[in-house]
């Protein structure tokens, strides 16, 4: 169970960092496609944000504490922080790469959860993978 708890914390911190980056891009996107990208980034961050509380509660239900500080998120996250306002095209590509990376990370945690018999948690992780696949599809189609 300890391996699953650690992996879940990494995935949770990465998900929270992904959410924050999508919201940052939503607030700061500029250019000719502002409205479309502002809406797309908003849709993505709102969907991910909607999973955060449930994710934390799943970690708590496994007997672990959910990370909740910027320093802890930064230490655990596989998603890199973005501190600069970058061009809109780069925002799309960066968020796409991060979403694809989230699918890979969530799959690793899913496999651990399955091996531990934590099927409820693995179902949650499967839903998160599906959500990120949808985000990736939308971002990939926008980048073309």
């Amino acid at each position: 169970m300890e391996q699953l708890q650690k992996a879940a914390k990494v995935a949770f911190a990465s998900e929270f960092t992904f959410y924050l980056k999508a919201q940052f891009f939503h607030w700061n996107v500029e250019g000719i496609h502002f409205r479309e990208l502002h809406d797309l980034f908003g849709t993505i961050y709102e969907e991910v944000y909607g999973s955060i509380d449930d994710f934390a509660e799943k970690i708590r239900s496994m007997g672990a504490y959910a990370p909740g500080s910027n320093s802890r998120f930064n230490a655990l996250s596989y998603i890199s922080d973005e501190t600069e306002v970058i061009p809109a095209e780069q925002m799309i590509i960066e968020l796409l790469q991060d979403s694809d990376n989230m699918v890979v990370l969530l799959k690793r945690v899913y496999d651990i959860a399955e091996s531990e018999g934590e099927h409820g948690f693995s179902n949650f992780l499967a839903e998160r993978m599906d959500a990120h696949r949808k985000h990736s599809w939308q971002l990939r189609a926008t980048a073309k």
Side-chain angles (χ1 to χ4, degrees):
M1 182 65 84
E2 187 176 331
Q3 180 187 15
L4 179 56
Q5 291 170 342
K6 287 180 180 179
K9 289 178 185 182
V10 168
F12 175 71
S14 299
E15 189 79 301
F16 193 90
T17 303
F18 180 89
Y19 144 73
L20 190 58
K21 185 183 283 188
Q23 188 166 47
F24 175 64
F25 289 171
H26 167 79
W27 289 332
N28 293 294
V29 68
E30 296 176 314
I32 188 114
H33 300 290
F34 164 78
R35 174 55 51 204
E36 295 87 1
L37 293 176
H38 180 76
D39 290 348
L40 175 60
F41 297 151
T43 299
I44 291 171
Y45 91 74
E46 287 173 357
E47 187 284 323
V48 175
Y49 182 75
S51 74
I52 295 296
D53 190 60
D54 198 22
F55 208 148
E57 289 175 358
K58 299 257 186 264
I59 292 170
R60 291 295 293 132
S61 72
M62 289 187 286
Y65 292 106
S69 69
N70 288 331
S71 61
R72 194 75 178 116
F73 289 143
N74 287 337
L76 292 170
S77 181
Y78 278 26
I79 303 299
S80 63
D81 196 17
E82 183 59 69
T83 60
E84 300 295 321
V85 175
I86 58 178
E89 295 79 17
Q90 285 180 270
M91 289 177 177
I92 297 165
I93 297 303
E94 189 170 319
L95 210 56
L96 170 58
Q97 291 169 343
D98 290 342
S99 186
D100 286 346
N101 288 337
M102 283 303 305
V103 172
V104 172
L105 174 58
L106 291 164
K107 176 66 167 95
R108 284 189 209 132
V109 183
Y110 173 90
D111 290 342
I112 297 168
E114 281 291 289
S115 72
E116 296 275 342
E118 292 291 332
H119 304 299
F121 187 48
S122 61
N123 288 341
F124 171 79
L125 294 167
E127 291 173 5
R128 297 306 316 136
M129 285 186 282
D130 285 346
H132 277 285
R133 285 186 184 109
K134 182 176 181 179
H135 300 322
S136 292
W137 157 63
Q138 292 173 335
L139 291 161
R140 193 171 285 109
T142 302
K144 284 189 173 186

